[in-house]
Structures are given as C-alpha cells and as structure tokens.
Amino acid sequence: MEGDALRGHLELLLLAALARDKQHGYALIEWLRSRSDGALDLGEGSVYPALRRLEAAGCVNSSWRTDGGRRKRVYRLTKRGEERLRSEREGWNDLVHTVGLVLEAS
C-alpha cells in the first residue's frame, strides 16, 4: 500500500491495534502486517514517531519490560486513546460511506 494512502491514518491504525492489548512497537508492526495480509508493511521510522505523538497527546502510555533479556517499550491505550479511537472510527466510517456514495454514482 502506498505511503500516501496511509497519511493521516497511521495513528488510527495504531490505536486500533492497541485496543486489542498492550504491545511493543515491533509487535504492532508485525500485527498490522499480518492483519492486512502484508499490505501494511510499515517501517520503524514511521511507527515509532507516531507512537511518540500518541504518547505526547495522552492517547497511549508506555513502560519498559524485559523479555528474553531484551528491554522493550510496551505501549497501552489510555482512556483518552479509547475516546480518540471511537471518534476517529466514526469519522472513518462516515468518510468510507460518503466516498462509496460518490463512487457508486459514477
């Protein structure tokens, strides 16, 4: 999938992934890749800055965990993140519906 198609939606995708369970960054990348049948092949250079933006906005918080001798930063959704996910999901569904109406008419 083209990067331009995801512009503005990456944070929504990360919030949706974190709504399932807390995860570290690489696990989020892998889950999104798997869930999208490989269409979302996101790089760390886009995912980690988005996670930092979400954390700065209070939508996620993070903590360090040691797993197999390696330290990993684990992210979890906050109440604010749940509210933002709900709101952005509604906006997304409205957009898809509206675009569908236009495409069906042509």
Side-chain angles (χ1 to χ4, degrees):
M1 179 169 284
E2 297 279 331
D4 286 344
L6 288 177
R7 197 171 316 261
H9 303 295
L10 177 56
E11 291 178 9
L12 171 59
L13 293 170
L14 291 170
L15 290 171
L18 287 170
R20 296 179 47 256
D21 196 10
K22 61 185 175 187
Q23 297 181 63
H24 59 86
Y26 187 73
L28 287 165
I29 291 169
E30 287 297 308
W31 186 82
L32 289 167
R33 181 180 298 130
S34 171
R35 185 74 179 144
S36 68
D37 292 330
L40 296 175
D41 190 17
L42 306 171
E44 294 176 11
S46 58
V47 170
Y48 286 106
L51 287 167
R52 285 192 292 275
R53 286 191 304 272
L54 288 169
E55 190 167 23
C59 295
V60 302
N61 60 29
S62 66
S63 59
W64 287 100
R65 176 179 82 192
T66 302
D67 187 16
R70 297 183 65 197
R71 281 177 37 119
K72 298 177 182 178
R73 183 171 287 243
V74 177
Y75 299 88
R76 73 180 40 82
L77 208 55
T78 63
K79 287 289 184 195
R80 180 178 287 174
E82 290 171 2
E83 293 167 4
R84 180 168 168 189
L85 175 58
R86 188 171 23 263
S87 173
E88 289 196 24
R89 229 182 221 149
E90 289 172 7
W92 173 259
N93 289 332
D94 289 346
L95 175 65
V96 168
H97 174 74
T98 302
V99 169
L101 291 172
V102 173
L103 292 177
E104 297 287 323
S106 54

